[in-house]
Amino acid sequence: MDSPAVSPTPLQKTNETSVETKGEGRERFSSRLAFYFSAVGSAVGFGNVWRFPSLVFEYGGGAFFIPYLLALFLVGIPLLVLEISLGQHFQLGDVGCFGKIHERLRGVGLASIACGYMLVTYYSMLLAWTFNAFFASFRADNFWDQDEVSGTEAKEYFYQTIIGMDTLGDDLKPTRLVGMNVFYSLLTWVVIYFSVAYGLEATGKVTYVTMGFPLVILFVFLGRSLTLEGSGNGINEYIGESNWGIFSDHPEIWSRAVSQIFFSLGTTFGIMTAYGSHCKRNEPAFLNSCVVALSNSMFSFISGFAVFATLGHLAYLEGLDSVADLEYSSFGLVFGSWPVALGTLPGGQHWIRLFFIMLFMLGIDSAFSFMEAFLTVLHDTKLFHNVDRKRASLVLTACAFLLSTLYATDAGLIFLDSVDYYINFVIIFVGFVKCVAAGWVYKIETQIECLGPKIVFVYITTTFGSVLLACAMWFGVGN
């Protein structure tokens, strides 16, 4: 059932440094479909085809779905409803929305934007590595020219050659900048710049391609993966077998599941607030949130089938009894599996190149959505309201490119994994503070008046219920 349309009644008057919030003259999505493609395109990215299967692989197979689904329905969707609703109501980005709740809460919005900006600096390097791998496939010494390539060889190729870790010492300290990755990082940021510099209408058109094309290719790859020998064993370990001891052996599975939802849905980064602010106030916020969240999780679920079917095939080729015996993790999980399987097709090199194109398209709309969130916040302030969008985009992308060079070193993946690990906890904290800011400071009576009782009480139940349930399971499993 759709939620009541968000009321245009102002929630609270404060002394603002932001521009008027009625929304006149604000850029709009051309249609609800354009919003869906932009929002789902932002949510669906590397996290769906790399991070989600990697977490399932690491945390007990099907057992991971319990914390993941609980996080989706009890934390992810309610928080997504909150962000899109606030954006629609106030017609502002994250900083302006929380400033409207209380002027001292602007820091909540700033924290989310800062997290997103920090994340996109290393997220862009994933795209740069994909660029590097794509163009390397056209060189005379093309790695994929070999008759047979094992998963281990493919993984080592990406680590040692593409990322440049061959010069890394035992102390894991960076020794050089990998020139090709610096160049492809620059190329990535040029693409991001042109994706956001010309306004929301151009961005919406880009997402029709960057979201639609990978979806078609995913089903093609899925069909191919399911025909490989050993794929059934991989699928069985994906959804048919579960390591229930993972809950007591690795209790961090709960935080990883929640952070995966936050990462994948794009919540706590100000993205969905920004996109919501470009919708009309009478749009069905609850319906839109559910469509975005469920589409994102369905893409992850289908990607998992393709990845685990491929892993089953690789285990079969290497004579291993289980997918768990494969020494894959993180970035190497996808880059050491799919290219190998696609290489068995007639014209395998072209399929591998198509795979790299799919990965880049999946990631690029997620990358420029982080910048869109930042640009929306800047545009909402009186100081930067009249600054030309192209100039603001240029400054933001140039600074982000310079920051991203840290990950273009031969220790780039080490830095990436370290920052990615700790930012998990930061975004969970930001999400919690957002809930407190909207639910506690803003007063429940005002919420019910403006949003309606159904959506408010559902949100309260799922938010606080998830905390109680997580605590009960945390201590209960241990006993």
Side-chain angles (χ1 to χ4, degrees):
M1 182 179 295
D2 296 355
S3 65
V6 180
S7 168
T9 306
L11 301 185
Q12 183 174 337
K13 293 291 185 181
T14 60
N15 294 323
E16 291 297 326
T17 59
S18 62
V19 297
E20 185 56 53
T21 62
K22 293 181 180 179
E24 290 91 346
R26 194 174 188 83
E27 283 189 291
R28 300 289 183 201
F29 287 105
S30 57
S31 64
R32 188 181 298 179
L33 183 63
F35 168 78
Y36 286 154
F37 268 86
S38 297
V40 175
S42 169
V44 173
F46 276 112
N48 300 76
V49 297
W50 158 46
R51 203 168 187 270
F52 176 79
S54 178
L55 290 174
V56 175
F57 183 79
E58 183 178 355
Y59 290 105
F64 182 75
F65 284 99
I66 291 180
Y68 177 82
L69 291 175
L70 287 173
L72 171 65
F73 288 104
L74 302 182
V75 179
I77 291 179
L79 193 56
L80 191 60
V81 172
L82 171 67
E83 293 198 352
I84 292 178
S85 297
L86 287 177
Q88 282 187 207
H89 181 88
F90 289 120
Q91 299 288 287
L92 291 170
D94 229 34
V95 176
C97 285
F98 285 95
K100 279 291 185 180
I101 294 174
H102 194 286
E103 58 184 7
R104 294 182 179 178
L105 289 175
R106 292 183 181 280
V108 177
L110 283 173
S112 64
I113 297 299
C115 282
Y117 196 68
M118 183 186 301
L119 190 148
V120 77
T121 59
Y122 71 76
Y123 193 90
S124 64
M125 190 52 60
L126 297 175
L127 295 171
W129 291 337
T130 304
F131 249 148
N132 192 352
F134 173 75
F135 286 108
S137 68
F138 291 95
R139 297 174 191 160
D141 58 346
N142 179 13
F143 174 79
W144 306 108
D145 273 341
Q146 305 176 62
D147 292 334
E148 292 185 7
V149 176
S150 69
T152 302
E153 290 173 336
K155 182 184 68 172
E156 289 302 310
Y157 167 70
F158 281 102
Y159 283 148
Q160 304 301 325
T161 305
I162 298 300
I163 299 177
M165 298 178 70
D166 54 326
T167 57
L168 201 60
D170 294 335
D171 58 3
L172 301 181
K173 293 182 179 179
T175 62
R176 65 186 177 103
L177 276 173
V178 182
M180 294 305 295
N181 288 335
V182 174
F183 170 75
Y184 288 120
S185 177
L186 175 61
L187 186 59
T188 298
W189 281 107
V190 169
V191 175
I192 293 174
Y193 167 77
F194 282 107
S195 297
V196 299
Y198 292 93
L200 195 67
E201 183 177 354
T203 301
K205 292 178 180 179
V206 170
T207 58
Y208 283 124
V209 178
T210 57
M211 184 63 245
F213 179 78
L215 183 61
V216 174
I217 298 302
L218 174 65
F219 280 100
V220 174
F221 289 167
L222 174 62
R224 175 56 185 168
S225 299
L226 293 176
T227 64
L228 299 173
E229 288 188 87
S231 61
N233 294 331
I235 296 297
N236 184 54
E237 294 191 42
Y238 178 48
I239 58 173
E241 297 180 5
S242 301
N243 176 17
W244 301 112
I246 200 74
F247 294 107
S248 57
D249 297 338
H250 296 279
E252 74 275 7
I253 186 176
W254 296 98
S255 65
R256 299 304 295 273
V258 174
S259 63
Q260 169 61 18
I261 288 295
F262 282 6
F263 263 108
S264 192
L265 290 181
T267 55
T268 72
F269 298 118
I271 296 170
M272 295 305 171
T273 311
Y275 282 163
S277 72
H278 294 294
C279 294
K280 296 178 181 178
R281 278 177 164 164
N282 60 355
E283 284 290 309
F286 182 69
L287 172 64
N288 289 347
S289 301
C290 288
V291 170
V292 172
L294 296 178
S295 298
N296 168 73
S297 292
M298 185 59 66
F299 196 99
S300 296
F301 186 62
I302 295 172
S303 297
F305 275 99
V307 170
F308 271 82
T310 306
L311 291 175
H313 175 63
L314 294 180
Y316 168 80
L317 292 178
E318 297 185 19
L320 301 175
D321 296 329
S322 170
V323 166
D325 296 329
L326 294 169
E327 297 181 357
Y328 293 150
S329 62
S330 186
F331 201 57
L333 180 65
V334 168
F335 279 83
S337 57
W338 273 5
V340 176
L342 293 172
T344 64
L345 287 168
Q349 293 186 40
H350 301 301
W351 285 101
I352 292 171
R353 291 162 185 156
L354 190 62
F355 167 71
F356 294 141
I357 294 173
M358 182 196 77
L359 280 185
F360 184 82
M361 287 191 173
L362 277 177
I364 195 64
D365 44 12
S366 299
F368 65 64
S369 65
F370 288 108
M371 305 305 295
E372 186 66 45
F374 205 142
L375 287 168
T376 298
V377 168
L378 285 181
H379 178 78
D380 290 339
T381 62
K382 290 183 177 179
L383 183 61
F384 295 101
H385 180 62
N386 294 320
V387 173
D388 181 66
R389 183 182 177 94
K390 296 183 181 65
R391 183 177 302 176
S393 300
L394 180 61
V395 172
L396 288 179
T397 53
C399 292
F401 163 69
L402 293 176
L403 293 172
S404 69
T405 55
L406 171 67
Y407 308 102
T409 63
D410 52 356
L413 184 60
I414 308 299
F415 288 127
L416 188 152
D417 280 339
S418 299
V419 176
D420 180 68
Y421 177 80
Y422 286 106
I423 205 172
N424 286 333
F425 302 101
V426 176
I427 63 175
I428 291 175
F429 176 73
V430 171
F432 177 77
V433 173
K434 281 191 170 188
C435 296
V436 172
W440 182 272
V441 179
Y442 178 43
K443 299 181 181 179
I444 189 171
E445 295 87 354
T446 314
Q447 291 185 59
I448 293 174
E449 178 184 350
C450 294
L451 302 176
K454 291 183 180 179
I455 193 171
V456 172
F457 287 117
V458 167
Y459 179 77
I460 291 174
T461 302
T462 54
T463 300
F464 290 97
S466 61
V467 175
L468 296 175
L469 181 61
C471 291
M473 296 191 71
W474 178 285
F475 295 106
V477 172
N479 294 331

